Amino acid sequence: MSRPALSWWLLGSGAVLLLGGVLLQQLLAPLVNARAAGVLAGIGLGLLIAGVLRRLMPAGCDAATPTLRRRYTREVVVAMLGYVVLLCLSMYLLRGAEGAGLRALIALLPVPPIVLVLRAMVRYIRDVDEMQQRIELEAVSAATAFVSLVYLTGGFLQSAKVIDVPSNVAMIWVFPLVCLSYGLAKAVVARRYH
């Protein structure tokens, strides 16, 4: 699939899934599990963000070989599908689970696929050329610094009782925020080198 076609596919399918999730929740709320509609909307939002990021990237910003890109894409897609399945399973099983040990084990079911995503990212960065490594590492550094600043600021505001964000919500959003920040930072960094 060509670069423009992929970005349009991501944007279109993301919009359809996001709209579908919202409509399911609004129109069929008594019949549809709110969590299922939320997952559908979340996947749609993720695809929309991926489409926007894809369009922001300059042409040729990824100097990886087609084989390396295919391997990375395959590893990430399989891991993320596993993540979605295990996350849904985990949420379902937690409803009836008793005992801290069992609840902890069930709650951690979605973690191994994320480890596989991180492994794919490290392998990708390790296997690209030096220039692409520089772009990737600058983007990762900028994303990490940004998310650290956001969470530090939030911590100060939380301590001052200006905001009240539950810790479980704050913790769960660290990785997605790093990924989003990384994508935006890569778009900016790649433009400097291309």
Side-chain angles (χ1 to χ4, degrees):
M1 184 178 292
S2 71
R3 181 181 172 78
L6 177 60
S7 62
W8 283 115
W9 182 88
L10 289 168
L11 290 169
S13 58
V16 167
L17 290 174
L18 177 60
L19 185 61
V22 170
L23 288 176
L24 280 175
Q25 180 61 32
Q26 297 300 318
L27 301 176
L28 303 173
L31 303 173
V32 176
N33 183 335
R35 207 168 251 161
V39 168
L40 187 63
I43 292 169
L45 182 60
L47 290 172
L48 273 174
I49 291 169
V52 168
L53 289 175
R54 186 79 179 169
R55 294 197 61 79
L56 288 175
M57 297 288 173
C61 76
D62 194 349
T65 64
T67 303
L68 179 57
R69 273 184 279 178
R70 276 193 302 274
R71 182 189 78 189
Y72 174 74
T73 301
R74 182 180 58 248
E75 289 176 354
V76 169
V77 167
V78 168
M80 290 310 293
L81 288 173
Y83 171 76
V84 169
V85 168
L86 289 174
L87 180 63
C88 293
L89 179 64
S90 172
M91 291 187 305
Y92 174 76
L93 292 175
L94 279 172
R95 290 187 215 160
E98 304 261 341
L102 179 60
R103 291 185 63 77
L105 185 64
I106 293 169
L108 295 176
L109 281 175
V111 173
I114 296 302
V115 170
L116 294 175
V117 169
L118 294 172
R119 177 180 173 261
M121 294 169 113
V122 169
R123 287 180 58 181
Y124 173 81
I125 292 171
R126 183 195 64 212
D127 294 342
V128 293
D129 66 24
E130 291 83 6
M131 183 60 159
Q132 190 65 38
Q133 284 178 348
R134 182 176 181 136
I135 291 169
E136 301 293 339
L137 293 175
E138 280 187 36
V140 167
S141 298
T144 304
F146 172 73
V147 172
S148 297
L149 180 63
V150 166
Y151 273 77
L152 180 65
T153 302
F156 286 139
L157 293 173
Q158 185 102 358
S159 294
K161 299 189 185 331
V162 173
I163 62 172
D164 186 25
V165 179
S167 61
N168 64 324
V169 172
M171 289 176 161
I172 284 175
W173 280 99
V174 171
F175 184 68
L177 188 55
V178 168
C179 291
L180 175 62
S181 303
Y182 161 72
L184 292 171
K186 184 176 176 182
V188 171
V189 171
R191 288 187 185 284
R192 282 200 336 236
Y193 291 106
H194 292 285

